[in-house]
Amino acid sequence: MTDSKEAQHSLKNTLNLNMHVEECIELPTTSILSQSNQIQPPKNSTSPLPERGTWGSKLDFILSVVGLAIGLGNVWRFPYLCYKNGGGAFLVPYFITLFLAGIPMFFLELALGQMMTIGGLGVFKIAPIFKGIGYAAAVMSCWMNVYYIVILAWAIFYFFMSLRRDVPWRTCNNYWNTQFCVNPYDRGSLLCWDQYNPNATISKICAISQHNVSISELTDPVKEFWERRVLMISSGIENVGSIRWELAATLLLVWIVCYFCIWKGVKWTGKVVYFTALFPYILLTILFIRGVTLPGAMEGIKFYIMPNMSKLKESEVWIDAVTQIFFSYGLGLGTLVALGSYNKFSNNVYKDALIVCSVNSSTSMFAGFVIFSVVGFMAHEQQKPVAEVAASGPGLAFLAYPSAVLQLPGSPLWACLFFFMILLIGLDSQFCTMEGFVTAVIDEWPHLLRKRKEMFIAVVCGLSYLVGLSCISQVRRNKVIGKLIEVVGKQNCALIYYENNLTKHTKIIKKEKHRVDD
């Protein structure tokens, strides 16, 4: 009984001691909290930062990402790669790459941005050691903004030159034409004959303007307009020449339009894409309807989709499929991260990624029908095989299609529609990439730049314009250099981004495995 009383007494003393200790601990904590509440806030918090902003609606976001993903590569690169790599057979490596790399990486970038609500630089807070990849992506995005917009300046120049009674590249009577200029559609009327050469070869000679010239020396007005009127190409890379001031003016115009597309943030950009992302589909449909009604169109479409399964044995076909996915989906530039960062945290980004990827690839295939219906018509009119007429890149937009409209009634109208479509397709890719770069930089230094966002965008646009003037000089190789940067740089950036993310996740998995084993 005595032991029981002593035990109860000991327990009571212990409880009293614990209560005393809790009171002793609680008092200083309360004191510290009250003192911390009296501390003056820092100077930066006296003027709170403006809100980052969010998309006005889900459709704003989807159309913006569609506008980014659907660019010039869908119209002038995918159709050419299809015909070059076995027609319909090319879709096998294309869709394999799409499902194994394109869609996962597309979803990854959008999801990271949405989860962390920050741009392409700040997103590497999850793995600071890889932040250099973010800076590399920002640099690539910056350079892409400089040269990609030059193509839009060319398109505007052609658009303005088409606003007349007839297109200026129809005849060879202009001041920029040479004496060997002959329209390809008129060469059948030339007086030509075969000439036997001393080396036992035969060359075809034609009489032009009291001169006998080889048919290989003939040029056409479309090509001369492009090289001698638009670009005024110099004799070589050592001869830089001067700035093409007409192109400088159209380049300035496009930069002004780009600035006003993004200067008010994503709420404003989300409304602009309703026109820039949707209207090109109307133009594509009009051009498709006109194209399939032309003679020879079915031959061109057949050439585009006819599968040649033997091509799948060539490694180049698979490489082209991978590069096209990275090229057309805008992977590795941080732009998708930036666009996704303006979403609400609970947004179903997985569904959005699938929608955009489906629209992107469908547009590429639809554009192929539009382009090759016209290419088939050109081959029919020139009496050449389709393979000799088909072209890719600037050669398609500024040589093949302008040549095709020469045979259409109302040539200026079809030229205006085509180049306006090129402008809109490229414009939303341009300003969305610009938005990605601006978002990444502003989120990195928000106290310095967020309040001055409009001014910062104006400075970036102005500096990019000045640097871009080097791309519209008369030097012969400027467009080649730009193409190399576009194809090689963008692919390398995307591949490096993918490789490093794979390495990072592999290391995390290994660490977790070791921890579980221990």
Side-chain angles (χ1 to χ4, degrees):
M1 190 72 178
T2 306
D3 292 341
S4 175
K5 288 183 178 180
E6 289 180 355
Q8 290 178 2
H9 182 69
S10 176
L11 178 61
K12 186 176 180 181
N13 290 337
T14 303
L15 291 174
N16 290 335
L17 179 61
N18 288 340
M19 291 176 61
H20 177 69
V21 171
E22 288 177 0
E23 290 175 358
C24 293
I25 295 173
E26 185 178 356
L27 288 174
T29 304
T30 307
S31 176
I32 292 171
L33 289 174
S34 62
Q35 290 176 10
S36 64
N37 291 334
Q38 295 175 1
I39 297 175
Q40 294 297 325
K43 292 183 179 180
N44 289 337
S45 64
T46 57
S47 53
L49 289 173
E51 294 183 3
R52 265 185 107 250
T54 56
W55 295 108
S57 67
K58 188 180 184 70
L59 187 59
D60 291 2
F61 166 68
I62 292 177
L63 289 180
S64 296
V65 181
V66 166
L68 168 70
I70 297 174
L72 299 176
N74 299 74
V75 176
W76 72 22
R77 194 166 186 268
F78 178 84
Y80 175 80
L81 290 179
C82 255
Y83 114 81
K84 172 189 171 187
N85 295 310
F90 179 71
L91 297 180
V92 175
Y94 177 83
F95 279 110
I96 290 176
T97 308
L98 175 64
F99 287 112
L100 296 183
I103 294 177
M105 288 185 63
F106 195 85
F107 169 69
L108 170 68
E109 294 196 32
L110 289 178
L112 280 176
Q114 179 173 311
M115 181 185 71
M116 303 193 68
T117 320
I118 203 166
L121 289 175
V123 75
F124 283 93
K125 289 179 180 179
I126 58 175
I129 194 172
F130 294 112
K131 193 168 186 178
I133 301 173
Y135 284 110
V139 171
M140 281 304 306
S141 179
C142 180
W143 283 115
M144 180 180 172
N145 290 330
V146 169
Y147 72 79
Y148 190 87
I149 200 170
V150 174
I151 301 171
L152 308 185
W154 295 340
I156 286 188
F157 183 83
Y158 268 85
F159 177 81
F160 286 147
M161 296 298 289
S162 302
L163 294 175
R164 53 184 67 189
R165 181 171 295 180
D166 197 7
V167 290
W169 55 84
R170 181 182 297 277
T171 66
C172 294
N173 302 324
N174 305 290
Y175 68 87
W176 59 82
N177 293 124
T178 64
Q179 59 179 340
F180 301 134
C181 175
V182 180
N183 194 314
Y185 301 104
D186 299 332
R187 292 183 183 181
S189 60
L190 293 177
L191 176 60
C192 301
W193 62 92
D194 293 332
Q195 175 177 292
Y196 293 89
N197 302 318
N199 57 357
T201 60
I202 301 175
S203 58
K204 196 168 187 178
I205 305 299
C206 297
I208 302 174
S209 303
Q210 300 179 352
H211 293 281
N212 295 337
V213 297
S214 171
I215 196 170
S216 61
E217 297 178 11
L218 299 181
T219 60
D220 64 86
V222 176
K223 186 175 182 180
E224 290 197 350
F225 179 81
W226 167 242
E227 293 185 350
R228 300 174 62 84
R229 176 67 180 90
V230 181
L231 301 181
M232 292 188 179
I233 294 178
S234 64
S235 57
I237 193 171
E238 72 281 353
N239 183 11
V240 177
S242 60
I243 299 294
R244 289 283 294 109
W245 293 110
E246 290 172 309
L247 294 180
T250 57
L251 182 63
L252 178 62
L253 176 60
V254 183
W255 269 118
I256 292 173
V257 173
C258 181
Y259 171 76
F260 284 108
C261 285
I262 63 174
W263 71 314
K264 288 295 185 181
V266 291
K267 284 190 179 295
W268 172 255
T269 303
K271 299 301 180 285
V272 173
V273 293
Y274 277 85
F275 178 73
T276 59
L278 294 178
F279 193 67
Y281 284 97
I282 299 175
L283 298 178
L284 273 174
T285 304
I286 294 173
L287 294 174
F288 172 74
I289 295 172
R290 185 67 183 100
V292 296
T293 58
L294 296 171
M298 292 301 108
E299 190 65 27
I301 292 175
K302 179 182 177 182
F303 192 82
Y304 165 56
I305 63 175
M306 186 63 68
N308 180 8
M309 304 306 291
S310 63
K311 282 280 189 178
L312 296 180
K313 299 177 183 178
E314 302 176 10
S315 60
E316 185 182 0
V317 175
W318 295 83
I319 294 172
D320 283 344
V322 174
T323 55
Q324 176 61 19
I325 291 295
F326 285 122
F327 181 89
S328 64
Y329 278 81
L331 303 173
L333 294 174
T335 306
L336 293 172
V337 175
L339 296 180
S341 70
Y342 293 105
N343 273 330
K344 295 178 181 178
F345 186 82
S346 58
N347 178 59
N348 189 350
V349 68
Y350 177 68
K351 179 180 177 181
D352 296 344
L354 292 179
I355 292 173
V356 174
C357 291
S358 301
V359 171
N360 186 15
S361 295
S362 301
T363 303
S364 296
M365 288 184 280
F366 178 60
F369 288 96
V370 176
I371 296 303
F372 271 87
S373 63
V374 177
V375 170
F377 167 69
M378 288 177 58
H380 176 268
E381 292 296 311
Q382 297 180 19
Q383 297 181 353
K384 293 181 178 179
V386 177
E388 293 185 16
V389 180
S392 174
L396 173 65
F398 302 107
L399 292 176
Y401 204 92
S403 179
V405 300
L406 296 178
Q407 297 300 107
L408 299 177
S411 298
L413 172 63
W414 297 110
C416 287
L417 288 177
F418 178 76
F419 289 112
F420 190 55
M421 180 193 71
I422 291 292
L423 173 63
L424 292 182
I425 286 177
L427 184 61
D428 44 15
S429 297
Q430 171 70 25
F431 67 67
C432 284
T433 306
M434 189 75 181
E435 179 68 48
F437 172 76
V438 169
T439 298
V441 176
I442 290 180
D443 284 349
E444 189 70 6
W445 297 282
H447 291 283
L448 178 64
L449 297 175
R450 188 169 294 174
K451 296 178 184 178
R452 307 173 181 87
K453 183 175 180 178
E454 295 178 13
M455 185 184 301
F456 175 68
I457 294 174
V459 170
V460 172
C461 290
L463 292 176
S464 300
Y465 170 72
L466 294 177
V467 176
L469 290 176
S470 62
C471 297
I472 54 173
S473 66
Q474 294 175 320
V475 64
R476 173 173 290 275
R477 300 302 177 194
N478 62 15
K479 59 182 184 298
V480 178
I481 295 172
K483 188 65 177 177
L484 286 174
I485 295 174
E486 178 179 359
V487 176
V488 178
K490 200 170 183 181
Q491 293 165 10
N492 285 350
C493 184
L495 289 172
I496 290 170
Y497 184 87
Y498 179 77
E499 180 182 0
N500 280 279
N501 271 284
L502 184 62
T503 304
K504 178 189 70 177
H505 290 299
T506 303
K507 289 180 178 178
I508 293 174
I509 292 171
K510 287 181 178 179
K511 288 181 179 178
E512 288 296 316
K513 185 177 182 299
H514 290 318
R515 186 178 65 81
V516 172
D517 293 339
D518 294 338

